[in-house]
């Protein structure tokens, strides 16, 4: 059966028209119609497959734009396996293929399971907003919900919904930031601080021998920390 004949049968089986096929495939209808009418296109397509087979590349690599991958070089162990396989009779080859397919499927399932486990979302406490607290831990009040944190970094301990525009443009008003619980920060890092019983999201900086909590929004003045202040670090904000 010709190329156009096969397409016609497939379209009929699926109950779709040439126009619908062209739209779904993202090609002009006139181009598709011309391909189906000219058997020379079928011959050209067959030639492309032969050329790709000879050059040991895929049709996609040959036809579409992109950099061809480097040829695969076999290791000494792989070459030995090929030579051993070629020395076997049909019965032994079938046995080896069955064993190899079984082991390959087993490895693929293990990798898939490990990948899914890695991506499995975890539940983390997400606080609605930084609230007044007398000490760094517990960080906030009990006003939080245990949410599925699909997009949370692996080292995140909790999330906080930020209120206000003092950290714009780095952190938008209403955004949920993920925080790693820790008691110290490096200069320049953004963290959640408890300053005199109030929770703040700021950047830590040291200037002229003094400690400051800095807002990203220049409309807010730096907050200098004095010896009489009580400051605790609740955690480091993980910027994504």
């Amino acid at each position: 059966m010709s190329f156009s004949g096969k397409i016609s049968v497939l379209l009929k089986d699926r109950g779709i028209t040439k126009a619908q096929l062209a739209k779904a495939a993202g090609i002009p209808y006139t181009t598709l119609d011309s391909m189906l009418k000219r058997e020379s296109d079928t011959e050209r397509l067959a030639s492309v497959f032969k050329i790709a087979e000879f050059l040991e590349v895929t049709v996609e690599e040959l036809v579409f734009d992109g950099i061809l991958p480097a040829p695969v070089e076999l290791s000494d162990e792989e070459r030995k396996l090929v030579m051993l396989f070629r020395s076997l009779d049909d019965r032994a080859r079938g046995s080896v293929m069955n064993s190899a397919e079984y082991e390959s499927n087993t490895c693929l399932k293990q990798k898939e399971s490990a990948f899914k486990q890695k991506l499995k979302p975890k539940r983390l406490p997400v606080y609605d907003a930084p609230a007044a607290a007398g000490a760094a831990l517990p960080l906030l009040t009990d006003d939080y919900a245990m949410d599925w944190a699909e997009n949370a970094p692996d080292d995140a301990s909790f999330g906080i919904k930020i209120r206000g525009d003092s950290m714009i443009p780095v952190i938008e008003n209403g955004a949920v930031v993920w925080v790693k619980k820790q008691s110290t920060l490096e200069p320049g890092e953004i963290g959640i601080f408890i300053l005199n019983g109030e929770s703040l999201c700021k950047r830590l900086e040291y200037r002229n021998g003094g400690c400051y909590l800095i807002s990203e929004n220049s409309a807010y003045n730096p907050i200098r920390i004095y010896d009489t202040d009580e400051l605790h670090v609740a955690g480091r904000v993980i910027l994504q």
Side-chain angles (χ1 to χ4, degrees), residues 164-170 202 214-222:
D165 61 354
S166 66
M167 296 303 288
I168 288 175
V170 176
K202 302 292 179 185
I214 307 298
S215 300
E216 296 299 318
N217 188 341
S218 60
Y220 291 80
N221 293 323

Side-chain angles (χ1 to χ4, degrees), residues 56-232:
E56 297 183 341
V57 298
T58 65
V59 174
E60 290 83 356
E61 293 168 342
L62 188 62
V63 174
F64 298 105
D65 292 336
I67 300 175
L68 294 177
V72 177
E73 295 185 3
L74 298 180
S75 65
D76 292 340
E77 185 180 41
E78 290 169 334
R79 290 193 183 93
K80 183 178 179 180
L81 288 173
V82 171
M83 296 302 296
L84 289 173
F85 185 80
R86 289 176 177 174
S87 69
L88 302 177
D89 58 22
D90 291 342
R91 179 199 60 79
R93 287 187 179 187
S95 177
V96 170
M97 288 298 297
N98 289 336
S99 178
E101 288 178 357
Y102 172 81
E103 294 296 340
S104 176
N105 289 334
T106 300
C107 289
L108 288 174
K109 289 180 181 179
Q110 290 175 344
K111 290 180 179 179
E112 181 180 3
S113 177
F115 182 72
K116 288 181 178 179
Q117 185 66 30
K118 183 178 180 180
L119 294 181
K120 186 177 180 180
K122 54 185 176 181
R123 291 175 68 88
L124 291 175
V126 177
Y127 294 88
D128 183 59
L137 294 176
L139 172 65
L140 304 171
T141 66
D142 292 332
D143 185 19
Y144 68 87
M146 295 297 295
D147 288 349
W148 290 107
E150 293 90 346
N151 299 321
D154 292 338
D155 53 350
S157 306
F158 55 87
I160 291 180
K161 183 177 290 186
I162 301 300
R163 300 291 187 185
D165 61 354
S166 66
M167 296 303 288
I168 288 175
V170 176
I171 302 173
E172 298 292 333
N173 180 24
V176 173
V177 298
W178 299 107
V179 182
K180 179 183 179 181
K181 185 169 64 176
Q182 58 187 65
S183 59
T184 61
L185 287 179
E186 293 294 327
E189 290 184 327
I190 294 177
I192 302 298
F193 300 88
I194 308 298
L195 176 60
N196 300 327
E198 295 184 355
S199 299
L200 302 169
C201 178
K202 302 292 179 185
R203 186 184 299 275
L204 176 66
E205 285 192 12
Y206 291 95
R207 300 178 178 178
N208 300 321
C211 177
Y212 292 84
L213 300 184
I214 307 298
S215 300
E216 296 299 318
N217 188 341
S218 60
Y220 291 80
N221 293 323
I223 301 174
R224 178 161 186 175
I225 307 302
Y226 295 95
D227 293 339
T228 55
D229 291 319
E230 184 177 359
L231 178 68
H232 302 278

